[in-house]
Amino acid sequence: MNEEKKIIHYDALVVGGGIAGGEAALNLANSGYRVLLVEKERSLGGKMILLSKVFPTLDCSACITTPKVSEIARHKNITIFTESEVTTIDKRSENDFVAQITKKPRYVHVEDCTACQLCEQACPVSVRDEYQQGLIGRKAAFIPFSIANPKAAAIDIENCTLCGACEKVCPTHCIDFTMQPEQFELHARTVVMATGFNLFDPLEIPRYGYGQHKNVITSMQMEREIAPTRPFNTILRPGDGKVPDKIAYVLCAGSRDASVGNPICSQICCMYSIKQAQLLMGALPMADVTIYYINIRSFGKGFEEFYQQAKGMGVSFVKGKIGTIKEKENGNLILRYEDISEGVVKEAEHDMVVLSVGVKSNPDAGKIFPQGALKLDPHRFVAQTDLMGSPAKTSIDGVFVAGTASAPMDIPDSILSAGSASSEAISYIKQHQEA
Amino acid sequence: MASKINPRFAEELKQYGSVNFNACYNCGNCTAVCSLSTPEQSFPREMVRLSALGLEDELKQSLKPWECYYCGECTTQCPQTANPGELMMSLRRWLTAQYDWTGLSGLLYRSLSFTIAALLLVAAGVLLFARSTGFDAERLIHVGHLFEMLAIGTVFLVIFVPNLLRMWYFTIVKQKVRVPLKSYFSALPELFVNMFTQKRAKDCDEDDNFRWLEHMVLVFAYLSLLFTTVFLNWFGSEHLFVILLGYLESLLVFVITIHFVSGRIKRNKSLNKFSQPSDWLFVIWLLLMGLSAFLVRLFIDLQLLENNIWMHILHLTVLAQWALIIVPFGKWTHFLYRSFAHYFVKIKTMQEA
C-alpha cells in the first residue's frame, strides 16, 4: 500500500455524489469556491441516474441527471474522487476541517480509457450486475452502466481471476493491475454531507418471500425494467421470462413498520409506485396493475392529480396491507390481505409482485466524525438541529446536510435541500473568513 | 340501528389487560397474517376498530374474540406495535365479565385486591370448618368429597347455565339469528369436538402443534382427575387401577402447568408476555390442585396423613378457592365460552346457508 499521504486543499468538501451532493457542489463551484466531491461508487449520479422517469411530471430521469452530472464533471472548480471514502473528518477550528480520504484503485487509468468495451468482451468472468439490480449479469472488467460518469472501464477486483485477458486487448493500455489505494489529507473550510439513503432490504420480511419467490422483485428492480437503459427492452418476470399481465404493488414494504425497525413513512413509495403503474400501463397495455396500500400519501405539488390520473388510467387501488405472499408452482403468487373496505380477508393471485421498498438512513454519515460529534436522529438520519429556521444545519457548525441524508424526501426536495446546504456553506465560509 | 359509543371503553379495557391498541392505523396486516382468519370470520382488525371506537354492543354481540387461540403472529407482525393479540385476550376477559350475571367476574378481573380478599376469605372458611371438625382426617376427606360434588352442581346450575343463556342472548338473539330448533341439535358435534379437542387451536400455530397437544392433554388430565376424585372417590378408593389413574392424572396436571408457569415467567411467547393476575391465578392454582391432590394420595398410601392433616387442609383450601372463585368467575370459564362460541358460530352459518 502506498503509505505516502498527499495533502490537498479545497474550500469545500462534499461527501456523496448523488443528486443532492452534485447540486450542492455545483452551487458552491458556480460561486467561485473550489470543491472536492467524494463518491464511494464508480459513477456519479447516485440513485437518480438509475431511475426510469420522475413523478409527477414523467420526465426522463436520466435526461435530467446526465447533463447535470456532465456539468459537475467538467466544472473547473470541482474535483471528483469516485470509489473513494472519507474515513474521518476532524474539525480543528472554524473554517478548518481536516479529512482523511481513501481512494480505492480502479485498475484502469480513467483519462486513457475510451470506453471501447473490448475488455468487457474479453473478460471471462460473469457476475450479477448491481447497477441493473441483479436482473442480468456483467463482466468483472466492465463499464458500470451506459450513462455512467466517468464513462470508463473498471475492474471488479473481488471477482477478477487476474487472467490478464482484458489487459491484452486494451488498445490504450489503460488497464493497470499495479494500482494501489491512495491516501489523501484534505484541508477544507466547510463540509456538506450528502450521503443519501439505503433502500430497505426486503429479506428482512421473510413472509414476503423476496429472494425465494422468483417473481417477487423490488421497486428498484422494476425501475430498471422500465428505464430507457433497461436490461430486457421489455417487462419480464425474472422467474421464467414471461411478460406479466397481473402485477401487484405492495406498498409500505419496510416503511411505517415498527416490526422491522422503521416506523416512519418513506415519503416516496406511494408516488413512485403510482408512476411505475402508469408506465406499466403504457408498456403493457393489456396488463392489470393493482396497488395494495395502507394510505395513499399524495401530498406534494401535482401529486394528487397524478394519483387520480393513475386511477383514470385503470390502475386498481386496494386498501389493505399485504400480510403474506405464497408462491404457486407456476410461479404465480398468492397475496393474502384484508380488504379494509369490506373488512374481509382475501387472497389474490398475481403473476408478478413488486415490493415498494422504503427508505432507510445511511448511518455511515455518523461514523465519519469522531466521538459521535455529528448527531443523528432516532432513525439515524443526520439530525437537523434547527429544523424550522435553518434545516441544512447539523450539530457541527460548518457541516451542512443535503438531501436524503437528513430524512426521506423526493427529488425536488433533495435539490431544494442541496441549495439550502450550499448557500449555508457559503455564508459560513464568508462569516469566518480572516479579515 | 344507532350505535352507542362508550368513549371510556379504552380505559375500561385497560383494566382487563389491553395494551396500546389505539396505535392501530387500520392496515389489516393482523387479519392477513392470522392463520385462523377466514373470509367468513375475519379478525382481529375489526375487533381493534370496535374497541378503539368504544362500540360495546357490537363487541358484546361478537363471537370473534373466542375464535382466536393467541398464536401471537398478529402481534409480532403488527407494524404499529398495537398488540392485537393481547387486545383479543383482554376482550375475552371482558366478555367473560359481560356474560356473568353476578358481576363478580368483572370485579375479580379488574381488582387484584378484591381477588386476594376473596382467596383469603375462602381460606379462612376452610380453616374454620377444619377446626370445627377437630381436624379429623376421615371427616375432612368425606366432607371434601361431598363439597366437590355439591360445588360442581351448584356452579353449573347457578352460574354457568344463566351465563351461557346470556351469551346466547347477546350473540344469537340480539343478532337476530333465527334458526329452527333442529339446528341446535345438528350443531352439537361442533360444541363437543371443540370442547374436548380444541381442534382449531391446532391450526392456530401452523409450525408448532406442541402447544395444542400439551393443552389438550392438560384438559383431559384435569377432567378425568375431576371424574376420578368425584365419581371414583380416588382418596377413598382401594382399587389399584383407580389409585394409579389418579396419580397419573394429577402428575400430568402439575407437570404441564409447571411448564405453563415457567413459560409465563420466561415470557417466551407473545402469549406469555403480558400475564394478568387472572392468568397467574388460573395456572398456579391448577398446578397446586394437581400437586396437592397427588401429595394427599401419597400421604394416604404412606400412612402419613393421620399425623399430617395440614396437607389435606391445604388441598381442601386450594380446592375450595378453585371451585368457588376461579371456576365460576375466573379464567376456567374460557373452556365453556370458547366451545359454545364455536357452537353458536356454527348455528349462525346454518342460518346463512
Side-chain angles (χ1 to χ4, degrees), chain A residues 160-179:
Chain A
C160 174
T161 58
L162 298 174
C163 69
C166 52
E167 219 175 352
K168 279 185 213 118
V169 295
C170 179
T172 62
H173 307 292
C174 67
I175 296 174
D176 175 6
F177 284 103
T178 67
M179 280 172 97

Side-chain angles (χ1 to χ4, degrees), chain A residues 205 207-208 252 255-259 263 293-295 319-324 326 336-346, chain B residues 25-46 64 73 76-81 206:
Chain A
I205 310 182
R207 62 181 203 275
Y208 285 168
C252 297
S255 317
R256 300 183 72 193
D257 190 343
S259 74
Y293 67 95
I294 302 174
N295 305 101
K319 186 171 167 69
K321 185 176 165 78
I322 297 300
T324 55
K326 296 222 160 69
R336 189 173 147 101
Y337 64 100
E338 183 184 355
D339 187 331
I340 303 294
S341 62
E342 296 173 29
V344 169
V345 64
K346 290 183 179 175
Chain B
Y25 64 23
N26 216 21
C27 69
N29 196 54
C30 47
T31 311
V33 299
C34 172
S35 57
L36 291 174
S37 202
T38 59
E40 295 74 35
Q41 294 279 321
S42 295
F43 61 89
R45 187 194 60 92
E46 188 193 349
K64 287 178 181 177
E73 192 65 6
T76 317
Q77 310 290 2
C78 175
Q80 284 290 85
T81 56
E206 283 166 322

Side-chain angles (χ1 to χ4, degrees), chain A residues 22-35:
Chain A
E23 178 71 15
L26 263 185
N27 289 336
L28 284 157
N30 286 337
S31 313
Y33 295 99
R34 294 178 59 252
V35 181

Side-chain angles (χ1 to χ4, degrees), chain A residues 134-241:
Chain A
L135 290 167
I136 54 169
R138 63 158 171 83
K139 295 297 183 62
F142 69 116
I143 291 179
F145 51 97
S146 58
I147 54 172
N149 192 312
K151 187 162 182 178
I155 308 292
D156 170 5
I157 204 74
E158 301 274 305
N159 292 302
C160 174
T161 58
L162 298 174
C163 69
C166 52
E167 219 175 352
K168 279 185 213 118
V169 295
C170 179
T172 62
H173 307 292
C174 67
I175 296 174
D176 175 6
F177 284 103
T178 67
M179 280 172 97
Q180 295 286 328
E182 291 174 88
Q183 304 292 334
F184 294 89
E185 182 176 297
L186 165 74
H187 294 255
R189 298 201 281 167
T190 185
V191 178
V192 174
M193 297 298 289
T195 44
F197 67 97
N198 292 331
L199 281 167
F200 175 78
D201 179 1
L203 290 174
E204 285 183 43
I205 310 182
R207 62 181 203 275
Y208 285 168
Y210 181 76
Q212 294 190 328
H213 307 341
K214 291 187 268 327
N215 298 318
V216 176
I217 66 169
T218 67
S219 45
M220 198 62 184
Q221 288 178 309
M222 182 54 98
E223 204 60 55
R224 290 312 305 156
E225 289 215 24
I226 47 184
T229 51
R230 54 193 172 171
F232 306 138
N233 213 26
T234 181
I235 317 297
L236 301 177
R237 62 178 204 175
D240 50 12

